[in-house]
Amino acid sequence: MKTYKNLSHWGKTGFIIFLIINASFIFLLLSPIIPNLIGELRDNQLIAECEERIRQIRTTPIRVQLQFANGTPIQGWNVSFNQINHEFFFGCNIYSFDSFSEPGYNETYRSYFKRLFNFAVLPFYWKAYEPEEGVYPTEAHINVTLDWCIQNNITTKGHPLVWTRPYGKPDWISSKNDTELLGILEHRIKTLITKYQQKIEYWDIVNEPVHTEPFAGLSRFDFVFQSVQWANATNVNADLTVNDYGILGHDFGHGPFYQLLSDLIAQNSPFHSIGLQAHEPRTDWIPATEIWKTLEAYSQLGKQLFITEFSPISAPVPITNSWKKGIWSEEAQSEYAKMFYTVCFSHPSVRGIVWWDLTDLTSWLEGGGLLRDDMTPKLVYNTLDQLINNEWHTEGFQISNSTGWIEFQGFYGKYNISVQEGAYQFQIDVKSGTSNQFILKI
């Protein structure tokens, strides 16, 4: 067999041409998938870093000392600890609360909701809340839902106070002039915040300001600025979110929403949180690196970030705009949700994630729920349950040392502390930015 050295000049030239043609052919075959392979590799590298970041920013050393009433340390007692709530908000809208006619569905809805979520969003869409001036047909249902949330230690948020889409404006205001509209809007904001001051701390103050028209002849900036001012003047403790969509994976700090927020901050607008919806475009699989890049950009504004509406689907439609290819399914929905929650939970500026509709029965997107039409849990529900209630959960037991102390690394949140096989019960609230050292008197 001839070797390359033994080939003639023309033979060598032909061999080189043969190699170039074949390499070019192979490159053409592989070129469509090379960016996908690179994108997947970069995402996997980022996700691999998340576990350590989560440990650094979401957990803390927790020290508990047992003492007798006279201050003497208690040595050698069994102490168990169990996290019962996260400081981080894992949330969902709760619009379908007690709305099902099928036997057992309302109980199932409640059970699955409170197992997974410590944060609930209630509906205050103006057109439904006040379809006629001074008439509030949904208020009774909102109050029942609120009471249930409070009883189950679920923090609540109202959505939205101001939204100028058709569903965000009742028909009866169409006959009002700009001066009247401003007075009506001010009245709505101040009345709702005052009415629910003892039960709702969080509000989406202006929803989708970049994608909707301003109100009552105001500029976009003045419309948002004035709404925030009214809300803050009514309750300085209310946590106010300015919220919009089409941001994650598309706006890395250069778009109109970022500019609007920057202008508000420059004028000392007293809003607290930046809301980033996460379901537009609706079939996109946003790569982890682009999610992180967006979070990094918006964190530079110095506000906490909320993922306010997250709705990956299981309906069988093509996955779009990603290295990830294929069809959305229950498996794809679960995989994407796990990645998304992991990336967001590992970012220090993110305060919470809100899933948008618990069940497919009432989801605004086909297949957007965590439960199927028959109210059985989808794969994604079990995946989030594993993350929130197992991987990102702290429990265990220790024996108090010679000075009465136990110490463990735990996630921020509320804990039940049981001493001597449950003879004594305590609750501690482990918060970020505090010492997280507790003395329990027996």
Side-chain angles (χ1 to χ4, degrees), residues 39 41 50 52 64 123 130 153 155 178 206 210 246-247 268 292 302 318 351 368 391 407:
L41 176 63
C50 288
E52 176 59 23
V64 179
E130 192 181 6
N153 298 311
T155 302
D178 285 349
V206 182
V210 170
I247 310 299
N268 298 315
W292 185 262
R351 182 70 176 90
E391 290 185 30
E407 182 172 349

Side-chain angles (χ1 to χ4, degrees), residues 194-221:
T194 300
K195 183 182 294 184
Y196 292 98
Q197 186 164 319
Q198 301 303 317
K199 294 185 177 181
I200 299 178
E201 178 182 350
Y202 293 84
W203 292 93
D204 284 330
I205 176 63
V206 182
N207 191 42
E208 302 173 359
V210 170
H211 290 90
T212 55
E213 290 303 314
F215 201 73
L218 294 175
S219 69
R220 197 177 306 278
F221 172 85

Side-chain angles (χ1 to χ4, degrees), residues 21-140:
I21 291 173
N22 277 273
S24 299
F25 179 70
I26 293 171
F27 178 79
L28 287 173
L29 287 177
L30 293 178
S31 59
I33 66 172
I34 289 174
N36 299 335
L37 294 174
I38 294 174
E40 183 176 12
L41 176 63
R42 293 176 62 206
D43 270 16
N44 288 339
Q45 289 175 335
L46 174 65
I47 294 167
E49 299 167 358
C50 288
E51 183 176 349
E52 176 59 23
R53 277 202 302 270
I54 288 171
R55 190 195 70 81
Q56 290 178 359
I57 69 172
R58 302 296 179 190
T59 73
T60 186
I62 301 170
R63 302 186 72 230
V64 179
Q65 186 187 41
L66 305 183
Q67 293 182 2
F68 288 116
N70 62 5
T72 303
I74 303 175
Q75 176 185 358
W77 278 27
N78 293 316
V79 184
S80 64
F81 46 90
N82 181 36
Q83 184 184 12
I84 58 172
N85 210 337
H86 269 279
E87 181 183 66
F88 188 89
F89 287 138
F90 294 104
C92 183
N93 69 37
I94 197 168
Y95 295 177
S96 301
F97 184 85
D98 276 4
S99 65
F100 302 102
S101 58
E102 295 88 344
Y105 275 28
N106 289 322
E107 291 76 10
T108 300
Y109 183 94
R110 293 180 184 210
S111 176
Y112 281 120
F113 195 102
K114 69 181 180 181
R115 173 168 177 80
L116 209 56
F117 300 121
N118 62 356
F119 192 78
V121 180
L122 289 92
F124 285 89
Y125 300 93
W126 197 355
K127 189 168 185 175
Y129 183 79
E130 192 181 6
E132 300 176 45
E133 189 169 8
V135 178
Y136 311 104
T138 63
E139 196 169 84

